[in-house]
Amino acid sequence: MATPSTRAAAAKTMAQLSATFFLLPSIPIAAWYYNANSDRQRQIQEVQTKVRIPNVQTIDDLMVEKCQPGDIVLFDRRCHKCAAGPMAAFSCLLGKQFLCDTNNTKSNGHRNGTSRKMVDIGQFEHVGIIVPGYNSTSSNASKLDPSNLLLLEATAGEGVVARPLLQRLEMSQSRTVLLLPLASPGEHRNENDNDDYYEPSPKTIKLQQHMNKGLIKFRDEWISASQKQNYTSSHSTLTLFGALGYAMNLYKVSKLPVSPAAFLTVSALIQSGAGLHVNDRVAYEAKVEDFLRDYRFAYNGEGVIRLRPGWRFMAPVVMRETSKS
């Protein structure tokens, strides 16, 4: 029969084993998290101390000049660089595993992935939309500045946030950053070598102004709601369950979005007047790589992002591409 001292020793041994069981896996996670944050801080320091020569444009400056509100920016992220925490990195990995089309054919066995992507590079699982950087109280100079652009996106670190587009590009550690220009009905941007001299028609200007107004309203409403509801704490969880729900083919009945980042971007397009509101589920079922598929070749029109008649996505442009590590 076990004595009290024997039982106490056994309990102590079990407690030590349990502590070791939980402690050992946390050591490499803590080391990874430290390295990820160190890399992020080095990147921030590099951008902040970057020497900028007046009247000399970098490649990023030239790319930003070609952007307009409503354009889509897709990211093929390095999941191990996610400095927002282990949950953010894990949800990133699941997004790549279940929501990205690695073979550019069928996606996870679902019929809505039968349309081929417009690009053969990358696994894009994060997306944002370019919005104006001004508001109703801004000066006329600010409103007329074509580079006064923000990237609106749903993130694990800051919730729904709009950051200067140039700064966002310089801070990115993604493998590939892709621009998907949005053209309004009758617009002919980026169609010839003399695009710098292209002057949009009065109809195009009016449509752009209407869309800008919708994007500004959407931007302010969602950033405010994100701060009030502390969305930052739930983004990674929503992303994780969205990817798992898609993998288990439950996404059509789930009340959670398949991809929170795609949900925000599609909702912005719809509210601004460019996106087509097919049904109430279109934003919930959207995936990031759906932006890269042509609806004309999709099964039942699913697995693609639909725009209103006359609106179209133009050919993707690589904004930044680095090594595959």
Side-chain angles (χ1 to χ4, degrees):
M1 183 176 180
T3 63
S5 60
T6 304
R7 288 196 295 269
K12 183 178 180 180
T13 302
M14 289 298 297
Q16 291 174 340
L17 290 174
S18 299
T20 302
F21 177 79
F22 288 105
L23 180 61
L24 285 178
S26 66
I27 293 176
I29 294 177
W32 160 80
Y33 189 47
Y34 174 80
N35 289 331
N37 274 281
S38 297
D39 288 344
R40 176 57 57 87
Q41 293 304 317
R42 282 195 294 269
Q43 187 76 4
I44 293 174
Q45 183 71 14
E46 181 180 333
V47 172
Q48 291 177 343
T49 58
K50 184 177 181 179
V51 178
R52 302 183 187 276
I53 304 173
N55 301 322
V56 176
Q57 293 182 306
T58 65
I59 295 178
D60 288 333
D61 291 324
L62 294 173
M63 293 301 304
V64 169
E65 279 192 352
K66 296 293 184 181
C67 297
Q68 293 182 5
D71 291 350
I72 307 300
V73 182
L74 301 97
F75 297 86
D76 175 13
R77 297 188 297 174
R78 293 181 171 90
C79 296
H80 64 280
K81 295 285 187 179
C82 291
M87 182 67 85
F90 185 53
S91 62
C92 172
L93 289 170
L94 286 184
K96 287 184 178 294
Q97 177 65 33
F98 297 129
L99 304 183
C100 294
D101 186 0
T102 56
N103 298 320
N104 200 15
T105 52
K106 296 180 70 175
S107 177
N108 196 40
H110 296 308
R111 293 299 298 273
N112 62 353
T114 53
S115 176
R116 291 179 61 86
K117 295 189 299 183
M118 291 186 283
V119 295
D120 293 326
I121 59 173
Q123 292 178 279
F124 299 93
E125 41 67 50
H126 183 66
V127 65
I129 183 169
I130 297 176
V131 298
Y134 59 84
N135 52 42
S136 58
T137 61
S138 299
S139 64
N140 290 331
S142 177
K143 293 180 180 180
L144 295 174
D145 183 1
S147 63
N148 187 13
L149 301 172
L150 305 176
L151 184 69
L152 181 69
E153 54 187 332
T155 68
E158 300 179 60
V160 177
V161 62
R163 290 174 283 201
L165 179 59
L166 178 60
Q167 176 189 350
R168 181 65 177 88
L169 285 177
E170 293 178 337
M171 285 296 301
S172 177
Q173 300 184 74
S174 298
R175 292 185 181 89
T176 306
V177 180
L178 204 64
L179 173 69
L180 196 60
L182 176 68
S184 61
E187 186 176 9
H188 301 286
R189 58 181 290 207
N190 302 341
E191 291 189 359
N192 53 63
D193 296 335
N194 296 321
D195 190 60
D196 293 337
Y197 302 98
Y198 166 69
E199 293 186 5
S201 66
K203 177 183 176 182
T204 298
I205 294 176
K206 187 175 181 179
L207 285 172
Q208 188 70 46
Q209 291 174 341
H210 176 75
M211 183 175 65
N212 289 353
K213 187 180 297 185
L215 289 174
I216 291 172
K217 181 181 178 182
F218 182 89
R219 177 198 69 194
D220 295 342
E221 288 178 349
W222 278 79
I223 291 177
S224 176
S226 171
Q227 294 171 347
K228 291 179 180 178
Q229 300 176 15
N230 191 24
Y231 174 76
T232 304
S233 60
S234 58
H235 174 81
S236 297
T237 303
L238 287 174
T239 304
L240 187 151
F241 281 105
L244 290 176
Y246 184 82
M248 294 185 289
N249 207 18
L250 300 175
Y251 65 101
K252 286 189 174 294
V253 296
S254 174
K255 295 183 179 180
L256 300 177
V258 171
S259 166
F263 173 87
L264 180 75
T265 305
V266 172
S267 298
L269 285 173
I270 292 174
Q271 182 163 319
S272 66
L276 183 63
H277 186 265
V278 180
N279 54 57
D280 292 337
R281 297 289 306 173
V282 62
Y284 284 92
E285 297 176 10
K287 306 186 300 298
V288 173
E289 291 195 348
D290 291 348
F291 286 94
L292 297 174
R293 295 190 174 93
D294 193 326
Y295 76 91
R296 295 173 298 177
F297 306 106
Y299 178 81
N300 282 344
E302 297 182 354
V304 294
I305 305 302
R306 298 291 300 271
L307 300 176
R308 297 184 67 180
W311 293 83
R312 69 192 190 281
F313 288 125
M314 305 183 70
V317 179
V318 177
M319 302 186 78
R320 175 170 290 194
E321 187 171 20
T322 56
S323 63
K324 298 301 180 181
S325 61

